[in-house]
Amino acid sequence: MNYRAVRAIYLFEMARTWRTVMQSIVSPVVSTSLYFVVFGAAIGSRISEIDGVSYGTFIVPGLIMLSVLTQSIANASFGIYFPKFTGTIYELLSAPVSFFEIVLGYVGAAATKSIILGLIILATAWLFVPLHINHPFWMLTFLILTAVTFSLFGFIIGIWADGFEKLQVIPLLVVTPLTFLGGSFYSVNMLPSGWRTITLLNPVVYLISGFRWSFYEIADVSVGLSIGVTLFFLVSCMVAVWWIFKTGYKLKN
């Protein structure tokens, strides 16, 4: 393991965050706070509580997941796409650094940024509503698993994209709608049976459900199934990244 190379990539990516702190940290926190205020005021006045939890408190895990998912993809995709765009990726590929070390540096940095952002949003939510985390260990576990998984997914998008426009296609047209329809602002159990069956095909439902369970011990699906789906997606992304570096897809041509 070339720890020096991993450390260099990791610190370079983290340094980019501090240079763009308004875009990387402040903007997502402000946007999430606005979501919280608007949805909490507009819908919370009509829905007092869900499963014994006040509506304003209920949506906190969904808002955190919304930010973590989108920022994990954005950070990782841009992190690997920019070296491709400038051509410096070839220097990295020709260096004595394995693909595992490259992925560890980029994905580790992207996941770290998302985890920090998630914790900041969690602290911000405390200013609006009283929170109690019943299972802190599982809360951190779901947060870390989600950040790493979607950072890997973003890494794949960054390699696949051949233009800045493509970096936004999947996050905007696929991930964000799935997150909004995945129970971020409501319980899946509130839907009619037909719509509930369709909604359960959305993988984001399992992430949000498990994360919300760690807070309030209420979930739309079993916790074991939430962990299983998350791990399956994580392994799938790892296999895809391995295949990309093995074949040189979008890297050596």
Side-chain angles (χ1 to χ4, degrees):
M1 173 71 75
N2 189 341
Y3 293 102
R4 182 173 296 179
V6 175
R7 181 175 180 271
I9 296 172
Y10 179 86
L11 292 179
F12 178 81
E13 286 299 303
M14 291 303 294
R16 183 164 57 84
T17 301
W18 310 130
R19 291 195 301 268
T20 58
V21 67
M22 291 295 293
Q23 177 183 353
S24 302
I25 302 295
V26 177
S27 179
V29 171
V30 172
S31 299
T32 305
S33 299
L34 291 175
Y35 275 126
F36 185 85
V37 172
V38 172
F39 278 89
I43 302 178
S45 61
R46 294 171 173 80
I47 304 176
S48 58
E49 62 179 36
I50 299 177
D51 293 331
V53 178
S54 66
Y55 183 76
T57 305
F58 180 85
I59 65 175
V60 170
L63 287 173
I64 295 174
M65 277 288 116
L66 175 62
S67 295
V68 169
L69 292 179
T70 54
Q71 290 302 311
S72 294
I73 294 175
N75 289 328
S77 60
F78 184 80
I80 190 62
Y81 174 78
F82 194 72
K84 281 181 54 187
F85 178 74
T86 59
T88 56
I89 186 69
Y90 301 110
E91 298 177 3
L92 188 60
L93 293 174
S94 62
V97 183
S98 68
F99 85 90
F100 176 76
E101 293 159 353
I102 294 173
V103 173
L104 189 60
Y106 280 108
V107 172
T112 301
K113 299 173 193 177
S114 300
I115 292 169
I116 292 173
L117 178 61
L119 294 176
I120 292 174
I121 293 174
L122 177 61
T124 304
W126 251 299
L127 301 176
F128 295 95
V129 294
L131 288 175
H132 178 69
I133 303 173
N134 287 312
H135 303 283
F137 171 78
W138 286 111
M139 186 275 290
L140 288 173
T141 299
F142 274 107
L143 185 64
I144 293 171
L145 277 177
T146 302
V148 172
T149 300
F150 279 82
S151 292
L152 276 169
F153 186 55
F155 188 87
I156 295 170
I157 293 174
I159 293 177
W160 164 77
D162 51 17
F164 284 100
E165 295 82 5
K166 279 192 175 182
L167 287 178
Q168 303 298 324
V169 170
I170 294 180
L172 289 178
L173 299 183
V174 179
V175 176
T176 300
L178 287 179
T179 305
F180 275 96
L181 298 173
S184 298
F185 303 103
Y186 57 88
S187 172
V188 174
N189 294 322
M190 299 170 62
L191 299 175
S193 59
W195 284 109
R196 186 177 186 277
T197 301
I198 295 173
T199 302
L200 290 177
L201 298 176
N202 180 355
V204 178
V205 168
Y206 302 90
L207 303 177
I208 296 175
S209 176
F211 192 59
R212 182 172 286 130
W213 172 86
S214 69
F215 280 76
Y216 316 125
E217 293 187 336
I218 56 176
D220 295 319
V221 296
S222 69
V223 180
L225 187 57
S226 295
I227 296 175
V229 170
T230 305
L231 291 176
F232 174 77
F233 191 34
L234 173 63
V235 173
S236 300
C237 289
M238 292 173 65
V239 171
V241 170
W242 171 82
W243 177 83
I244 286 171
F245 280 92
K246 180 177 176 60
T247 61
Y249 174 75
K250 295 280 189 173
L251 290 176
K252 297 181 180 179
N253 54 353

